Amino acid sequence: MLRSFDRQPRLVASTIVTALLLAVSAISPFSSPSALAVPLGSTNAVLLACNNTFAPVKFPLEYDVVARPSANPIAPGASFTVTFDVTVKAAAAFLNGVYTALVGAGQPLADIPITEDVATIVPLTGATGPAVSAKLASTFTIPKPAVVPVTADVNIPLGQVTGTYTAAATGQVSFAFSGDSYMPAIPAAAGPPPVPAKPADPLPAGTTAFGWNIATPKPPQPASLTAAGLQTYTKVSLVNGLVTPFLVCMGGTWTLGPPVAPATTPSSDFPLIPPVGFASFAIGTGPQITDPNATTTVPAATTVPTATTVPTATTLPTATTTPSTSGPSTSAPVVTVPSAPITNTATYTVDCTNNATVDHSTLTYQITATAQSPVVKGTTIKITNQEWKVTVPAALVATLRPLLPNGLDATSYVSLSATNAAPDKLDLDPVQATTPLPASGDLITIIHPADVTFVAAGTGDVVIAYAGSITTVDIPNPPIQAKLTCVPPANATPLLTVKLQGTVLPTTTTVASASASAGPTTTRPLPAPVAASSGQIPRTGTNGSTLLVEIFGSLLIIQLGIMLWSAGQGRRRRRVA
């Protein structure tokens, strides 16, 4: 009895000191900052259907968009935000076309000022909310090249814009660019040389205006943008501001036609292929999918509150002895993490050899794919939405050009590898693609292999990666079939990391022996870890079979020639506003 009573004051003092230490440590200015998980975003390369108001010819233009939602997945019916970071890509082939047009019209190479650039984004599926626009803050100048043709793309950053939306009850959220690049009727003009009339595009249901208005019946065609045309467009200044074409764009892609002589790229024409949407995020109630490579740091507290007086300890009654009892063990239910789609993009620079000359070439494969994660061992992993963007370097294109007057007619046999899965390698079904060779620069083509499946067969995460490829090319003269074999680099970057379904081991709830200093002890299961997709921010591409080079300038040659000829006759031309 005396021993029990003697321990009580020390027990009370120890408890108070421990509580104070815990309180101080919780607010200490020396506490470490904490990192909050950031919802997984997406990176998207979006081809837009474009036209230009000076010499109307349809063409594609790439906009790169990094989208970050406030939640992923997005709760049904919830309000959420998405921040879009938009960049317009002026591809090397696009710039070379402009320089060719300028030199062909007798103009020296010069800087190309981009005076206006606007991209307007609207919800496409699964959400409602107002349009938002990313805009060029000031003139962006593409400097005069030292030599042509140029080989590097130029990115024109439009900056960030954030939209606020309300999610639907089910489905998937996605977005699209809004605008109007349909062509109005343009009358014929006398030469020299004569310019034939251009009929108007038939407007689809719901469309009431073209993107621009023709101001005069003769070329060059000064044009003003309508409200529809002011949504997504680029204004370029050429020939010291004398020529100021607008590139007007809208969501979707133009239908591709056959190559147009003497050009080597297919034509783009009406009708429009509707947009499929970008920045896609699921609507659901599952756990947040977070980006392991992006965190928001919350700084530690710096203010320590004033200490408070601890009340004097009171004397506790003498403890009584309680017989030891043990309750039955109860198993906690196994907790699983709901499976959700993950999308990722990986880039592989690969070494290739051909059976004709045994030369080595370097190709770049940029692969995007989707799978469900996490999965349970023994279940199927389906790889979907594959997009393989292949870049053939300019040097190899130059070698192929005299051998392939009708373009590249190739069949691709591509492979994927998998760790902790069966089989460990899959050869995908062959994909055939015909791609015109560009006049200069790299050749870029896109293929979409069929879906494939693996089975999670190991004890760890399943890692999917590029495993090699073989491309056969039919050369008409002499009639041979060349074979290009590419091997994966060592320690290839994962394309997808599919988590193996984690579980919480069952724990037991027991009643411990009672004592004067301790009550019943309950052990509870910890919450299951939320699986986060690994790798880069996913990237989604377009659905076209070929990524066309964006050539605007070369399509202006005739109209530039007419304008300069007219200027030489002493007639003044109104500058496009």
Side-chain angles (χ1 to χ4, degrees):
M1 180 69 71
L2 291 176
R3 291 178 182 174
S4 176
F5 183 83
D6 182 60
R7 284 198 302 266
Q8 291 163 14
R10 285 179 290 174
L11 174 62
V12 172
S14 176
T15 303
I16 293 173
V17 171
T18 301
L20 285 174
L21 288 175
L22 289 174
V24 172
S25 65
I27 58 175
S28 170
F30 302 105
S31 299
S32 299
S34 60
L36 301 180
V38 174
L40 188 66
S42 66
T43 299
N44 315 266
V46 187
L47 283 186
L48 270 64
C50 301
N51 213 318
N52 84 80
T53 62
F54 180 73
V57 178
K58 298 177 177 65
F59 61 96
L61 192 63
E62 181 177 323
Y63 282 65
D64 293 336
V65 184
V66 177
R68 286 203 173 276
S70 57
N72 186 4
I74 299 165
S79 176
F80 67 98
T81 62
V82 180
T83 297
F84 303 97
D85 195 329
V86 184
T87 300
V88 183
K89 176 175 288 186
F94 171 93
L95 297 174
N96 288 329
V98 175
Y99 299 139
T100 299
L102 292 175
V103 173
Q107 295 295 315
L109 293 177
D111 295 345
I112 300 178
I114 309 297
T115 57
E116 298 178 34
D117 215 322
V118 177
T120 299
I121 299 172
V122 294
L124 181 64
T125 62
T128 57
V132 294
S133 297
K135 300 180 180 180
L136 190 66
S138 58
T139 298
F140 181 94
T141 300
I142 301 175
K144 180 181 72 174
V147 295
V148 291
V150 297
T151 58
D153 301 335
V154 175
N155 292 324
I156 306 170
L158 304 190
Q160 292 186 350
V161 64
T162 300
T164 301
Y165 312 98
T166 300
T170 59
Q172 192 169 46
V173 170
S174 67
F175 297 86
F177 287 95
S178 65
D180 185 354
S181 60
Y182 293 107
M183 187 175 71
I186 300 177
V195 178
K198 289 183 177 290
D201 289 326
L203 295 181
T207 303
T208 58
F210 295 100
W212 74 93
N213 294 316
I214 297 299
T216 63
K218 296 180 180 181
Q221 298 289 352
S224 60
L225 295 190
T226 64
L230 283 169
Q231 295 182 68
T232 299
Y233 69 94
T234 300
K235 185 178 180 181
V236 182
S237 178
L238 300 174
V239 195
N240 294 321
L242 183 62
V243 182
T244 54
F246 289 87
L247 315 181
V248 289
C249 302
M250 58 186 174
T253 56
W254 292 119
T255 301
L256 299 183
V260 179
T264 58
T265 56
S267 61
S268 297
D269 208 347
F270 186 87
L272 179 76
I273 301 173
V276 296
F278 60 88
S280 298
F281 305 108
I283 298 174
T285 57
Q288 286 292 299
I289 305 173
T290 58
D291 184 354
N293 299 318
T295 57
T296 299
T297 300
V298 179
T302 56
T303 302
V304 180
T306 304
T308 58
T309 303
V310 180
T312 305
T314 58
T315 303
L316 296 178
T318 304
T320 58
T321 302
T322 304
S324 175
T325 59
S326 295
S329 297
T330 58
S331 296
V334 174
V335 180
T336 60
V337 178
S339 183
I342 59 170
T343 301
N344 191 51
T345 297
T347 301
Y348 302 90
T349 301
V350 300
D351 180 67
C352 307
T353 56
N354 69 80
N355 63 340
T357 63
V358 200
D359 291 334
H360 283 260
S361 302
T362 300
L363 267 63
T364 301
Y365 282 82
Q366 186 182 76
I367 309 173
T368 299
T370 300
Q372 292 288 121
S373 178
V375 297
V376 177
K377 180 179 179 180
T379 58
T380 297
I381 302 171
K382 188 174 185 179
I383 312 300
T384 63
N385 300 327
Q386 293 185 69
E387 178 176 281
W388 294 54
K389 180 179 178 180
V390 188
T391 302
V392 182
L396 181 56
V397 175
T399 301
L400 294 173
R401 190 174 291 109
L403 303 175
L404 301 172
N406 298 322
L408 182 70
D409 186 9
T411 302
S412 297
Y413 303 81
V414 296
S415 303
L416 291 174
S417 65
T419 58
N420 295 318
D424 58 4
K425 180 182 177 182
L426 268 179
D427 298 325
L428 283 62
D429 292 339
V431 181
Q432 195 276 336
T434 300
T435 309
L437 297 181
S440 62
D442 298 341
L443 168 67
I444 300 176
T445 186
I446 288 181
I447 61 174
H448 294 88
D451 298 346
V452 293
T453 57
F454 294 89
V455 175
T459 57
D461 297 341
V462 176
V463 179
I464 308 296
Y466 167 83
S469 58
I470 296 176
T471 303
T472 61
V473 180
D474 293 323
I475 298 177
N477 188 23
I480 61 173
Q481 186 180 74
K483 183 170 71 173
L484 192 69
T485 302
C486 302
V487 297
N491 302 319
T493 302
L495 170 60
L496 291 167
T497 300
V498 177
K499 299 292 185 180
L500 195 65
Q501 178 65 68
T503 60
V504 175
L505 297 177
T507 59
T508 58
T509 301
T510 60
V511 180
S513 299
S515 67
S517 60
T521 300
T522 302
T523 304
R524 299 181 180 177
L526 297 175
V530 176
S533 63
S534 64
Q536 305 173 20
I537 298 175
R539 176 182 180 99
T540 59
T542 62
N543 288 334
S545 61
T546 304
L547 180 64
L548 297 179
V549 294
E550 299 87 2
I551 300 182
F552 151 73
S554 61
L555 301 175
L556 300 180
I557 293 177
I558 295 177
Q559 299 296 344
L560 278 172
I562 295 170
M563 182 206 67
L564 295 172
W565 176 85
S566 300
Q569 304 304 311
R571 291 186 294 173
R572 299 176 61 84
R573 289 290 179 258
R574 183 167 64 88
R575 177 176 174 177
V576 178

